[in-house]
Amino acid sequence: MKNTHSQIHKFYLNGRYIVLDVASESLMQVDQMTYDILDDYHLKSDEETLEKWQKTYPKDEVEEVIAELHELEEQGMLYAPDDYDPMVYQNYDLIKSMCLNVAHDCNLRCKYCFASQGDFNGKRDVMPYEVGKKALDFLVAQSKNRHNLEVDFFGGEPMINFDVVKRLVAYGRSLEGPKNKKFKFTMTTNGMLLNDENMKWIDENMGNVVLSLDGRKAVNDRMRPTISGKGSYDIIFNHIKKMCDIREASGKEYYVRGTYTKYNLDFGRDVEDMARQGFKSLSVEPVVTDPSKPYAILEEDVNAIKKEYDRLALAYLNQEEEGLDYLFYHFMVDLNGGPCVYKRLSGCGAGRDYVAVTPKGNIYPCHQFVGQPEFIMGNVDEGITKPEIKDQFMEAGLLNKPSCRDCWCRYFCGGGCHANAWNFNHTVMKPYEVSCEIERHRVENALMIKIVQDERTAED
Amino acid sequence: MKHIQVVNKGRLCETANKGCGECQTSCQSACKTSCTVGNQHCKQAQAK
């Protein structure tokens, strides 16, 4: 019997037999015979495997397959031992990333907004400069010897408090030299208040810009109305397009980011619509919400979503024929320069190396938990006053979650979204299974795309 | 190999205990909701 803690995942997609070695992340394309033999190779002796499969395939070929599998195993590419230390990230107890909610107010009334349409279940509020300044000081202090720091201006709609954003960026930059830090600032905006002047400033000062748009006009307008209840598409589209054009010209990072819900399970059409509009960097994701909401994605929606990822993946591979040229964030996978084991085990980082700060200066594990008082970890004046909340997230590492421990996809998702787990299971230790099913399927598609793209590169 | 084509020789095992923590927090990338760690980039690999 071989080491059963090691694991592979094999799947058939787009006419290809694909094998992933989970612990090493080696990726292989095999013939059907190898694909079949892998059902037994790890669990039976070579003699038993040969005995079984020589009834289906020529004996000498079965022997060849077994020999090739052994060769891969010896090279650490198949059934590599998964003996990573589940708590290795404990050695990196610092905060490096912050979501700065500079406005708990919004000029849209998006129906799925986890910020309760901009006010986070509380009074509408904007962050005073002094609170933001203390938040940056807190981040710098908590980041210890880490050099690269990230701050995302978020809300609500952060552009409502744009003057404070500008002052905070200037303050952050003033800390870089003396504290040996480098800030990467991100602006996440709905586009409503973008104009020529502030877009120029954003382009010059933001490391990333995330622009919210859900795709087709009807889809966007159903869930993203203005305060008066009218659709926002006609107001925001030109702003977002112009911002993206500026980022394309300057060669800087941006994403047009949409949310799909039960109402648009054909979300791939929204991805393609935005690609046709000329947006080249796209991220469209399932809604995170309370399961009682009518637009929540539930088990009954999974098959339709999987089919849509399959369809989109094929269209994505043939985008050139459609005259398109775009990247879809969730079909991107970096197998050569991807993150280390430490990062995979530590997952999203919420509550541990990533926090969110509200206009009042309260600290939460991430932006999704804002507005739930039981998750207030501290504040920018006193720091972390409830370390037990941080401990809870520290414990929620990938390999400490029973349902993640044996899942083949664990090193791609890092354990999933804590907020989603909390919404559906009321614990951060158990991910929402529907999200997992969706994630696994889109990773399968991402791996298939990787194989096809590599083949095309080799042909060129 | 006749039956198996290696598309990628994984390097994940080689990174055990080598994390520097300088990479981007995944939730701060493009998503802000669902967690996707595998498509993030390693700062050390990028620097090489």
Side-chain angles (χ1 to χ4, degrees):
Chain A
M1 185 72 74
K2 292 143 189 161
N3 177 9
T4 51
H5 191 49
S6 307
Q7 186 179 10
I8 64 163
H9 174 62
K10 65 188 187 92
F11 58 101
Y12 179 75
L13 192 60
N14 191 18
R16 293 160 192 277
Y17 297 96
I18 298 169
V19 178
L20 172 78
D21 183 57
V22 174
S24 72
E25 221 169 55
S26 295
L27 184 66
M28 289 141 279
Q29 187 170 210
V30 302
D31 59 19
Q32 186 179 353
M33 177 171 37
T34 306
Y35 190 83
D36 289 341
I37 290 171
L38 275 167
D39 283 342
D40 297 300
Y41 171 77
H42 194 55
L43 299 172
K44 293 180 176 166
S45 69
D46 291 349
E47 292 74 25
E48 289 171 320
T49 304
L50 179 62
E51 175 66 25
K52 175 179 173 182
W53 288 103
Q54 67 181 349
K55 294 169 189 162
T56 310
Y57 297 110
K59 183 183 176 190
D60 59 331
E61 296 214 19
V62 176
E63 287 172 333
E64 281 175 4
V65 167
I66 292 173
E68 288 185 15
L69 292 173
H70 275 297
E71 192 181 332
L72 287 177
E73 210 172 341
E74 283 158 18
Q75 293 173 10
M77 283 190 273
L78 196 71
Y79 291 110
D82 188 340
D83 51 8
Y84 303 130
D85 173 3
M87 295 298 282
V88 64
Y89 53 83
Q90 269 189 323
N91 299 327
Y92 301 86
D93 184 14
L94 49 81
I95 297 172
K96 63 184 186 182
S97 187
M98 179 176 280
C99 189
L100 209 49
N101 285 8
V102 292
H104 277 188
D105 195 0
C106 192
N107 42 22
L108 291 183
R109 293 292 180 266
C110 304
K111 293 174 184 169
Y112 48 54
C113 183
F114 52 81
S116 299
Q117 303 186 357
D119 69 354
F120 289 86
N121 289 322
K123 187 172 168 285
R124 296 186 185 279
D125 203 359
V126 292
M127 180 178 281
Y129 171 67
E130 287 303 320
V131 171
K133 193 165 168 281
K134 285 178 187 173
L136 295 184
D137 289 336
F138 169 81
L139 177 61
V140 167
Q142 294 291 315
S143 64
K144 300 178 183 171
N145 61 352
R146 191 183 194 269
H147 180 64
N148 290 301
L149 306 181
E150 299 147 37
V151 174
D152 186 0
F153 295 107
F154 202 69
E157 170 50 40
M159 292 298 292
I160 284 175
N161 202 9
F162 188 55
D163 284 342
V164 166
V165 169
K166 288 198 286 189
R167 292 177 68 195
L168 289 175
V169 169
Y171 180 66
R173 295 286 178 229
S174 76
L175 297 174
E176 289 182 326
K179 302 289 185 183
N180 189 30
K181 303 292 178 188
K182 177 69 180 169
F183 281 97
K184 179 186 179 185
F185 292 107
T186 295
M187 173 66 79
T188 298
T189 176
N190 62 26
M192 287 285 283
L193 296 176
L194 291 176
N195 59 40
D196 287 348
E197 187 184 343
N198 59 33
M199 281 193 272
K200 182 172 184 295
W201 184 91
I202 288 169
D203 186 49
E204 289 169 354
N205 290 278
M206 293 292 113
N208 189 11
V209 184
V210 179
L211 300 135
S212 302
L213 183 72
D214 281 355
R216 292 165 291 182
K217 176 176 159 62
V219 169
N220 182 86
D221 286 352
R222 180 171 187 178
M223 295 303 281
R224 301 183 66 80
T226 62
I227 294 170
S228 66
K230 292 179 181 169
S232 59
Y233 190 92
D234 289 339
I235 303 170
I236 61 176
F237 181 84
N238 287 337
H239 296 177
I240 290 176
K241 185 71 173 73
K242 189 160 190 178
M243 186 75 250
C244 294
D245 289 345
I246 290 170
R247 296 299 272 186
E248 288 286 344
S250 62
K252 293 179 181 172
E253 189 178 11
Y254 76 91
Y255 282 95
V256 178
R257 189 236 179 268
T259 298
Y260 70 83
T261 71
K262 185 191 281 288
Y263 297 152
N264 61 317
L265 297 178
D266 61 346
F267 58 89
R269 303 291 178 192
D270 295 289
V271 173
E272 293 167 306
D273 184 78
M274 291 194 284
R276 273 192 286 277
Q277 304 286 358
F279 300 121
K280 296 183 187 301
S281 190
L282 300 170
S283 167
V284 175
E285 299 186 67
V287 67
V288 172
T289 192
D290 185 305
S292 66
K293 301 290 185 189
Y295 48 81
I297 288 171
L298 305 175
E299 178 67 39
E300 68 209 34
D301 305 314
V302 169
N303 281 341
I305 289 171
K306 284 182 176 178
K307 282 181 188 166
E308 186 61 5
Y309 276 119
D310 289 344
R311 189 198 65 75
L312 182 62
L314 294 182
Y316 188 72
L317 282 167
N318 296 322
Q319 59 175 282
E320 208 172 311
E321 293 169 16
E322 300 286 321
L324 302 178
D325 175 20
Y326 70 101
L327 289 172
F328 181 56
Y329 185 68
H330 292 289
F331 283 160
M332 291 158 67
V333 59
D334 188 348
L335 295 176
N336 295 313
C340 60
V341 169
Y342 149 70
K343 171 117 176 151
R344 315 285 181 130
L345 295 176
S346 60
C348 72
R352 208 188 57 256
D353 58 33
Y354 166 57
V355 294
V357 177
T358 66
K360 291 267 187 284
N362 287 327
I363 300 170
Y364 286 84
C366 86
H367 58 290
Q368 296 269 0
F369 287 100
V370 170
Q372 301 184 60
E374 67 269 33
F375 281 102
I376 297 175
M377 303 167 68
N379 59 72
V380 294
D381 290 313
E382 301 169 284
I384 302 296
T385 55
K386 289 189 178 171
E388 63 272 23
I389 295 178
K390 184 170 180 173
D391 292 345
Q392 183 185 347
F393 284 85
M394 186 68 95
E395 277 296 316
L398 176 62
L399 296 181
N400 290 338
K401 298 179 188 178
S403 56
C404 295
R405 174 126 197 113
D406 296 319
C407 173
W408 69 264
C409 198
R410 57 188 177 272
Y411 295 121
F412 287 94
C413 77
C417 172
H418 290 315
N420 220 352
W422 181 261
N423 284 342
F424 283 86
N425 297 322
H426 224 61
T427 169
V428 294
M429 295 301 288
K430 185 182 177 192
Y432 177 41
E433 179 55 26
V434 167
S435 289
C436 296
E437 275 194 77
I438 293 170
E439 176 81 8
R440 283 191 287 265
H441 200 69
R442 69 184 185 190
V443 169
E444 285 183 344
N445 271 298
L447 295 172
M448 180 275 290
I449 287 168
K450 163 82 178 156
I451 289 172
V452 175
Q453 288 176 333
D454 277 12
E455 281 176 2
R456 289 177 180 173
T457 304
E459 284 167 11
D460 292 343
Chain B
M1 286 186 179
K2 185 177 160 189
H3 301 277
I4 303 169
Q5 176 207 346
V6 176
V7 179
N8 180 69
K9 183 179 180 189
R11 58 177 281 278
L12 194 55
C13 302
E14 298 164 19
T15 69
N17 301 315
K18 286 185 182 171
C20 65
E22 291 291 343
C23 55
Q24 178 176 246
T25 297
S26 57
C27 205
Q28 289 283 68
S29 51
C31 49
K32 303 297 285 187
T33 52
S34 60
C35 185
T36 310
V37 174
N39 57 2
Q40 304 292 303
H41 301 295
C42 169
K43 281 276 183 188
Q44 291 183 22
Q46 282 180 316
K48 283 177 187 170

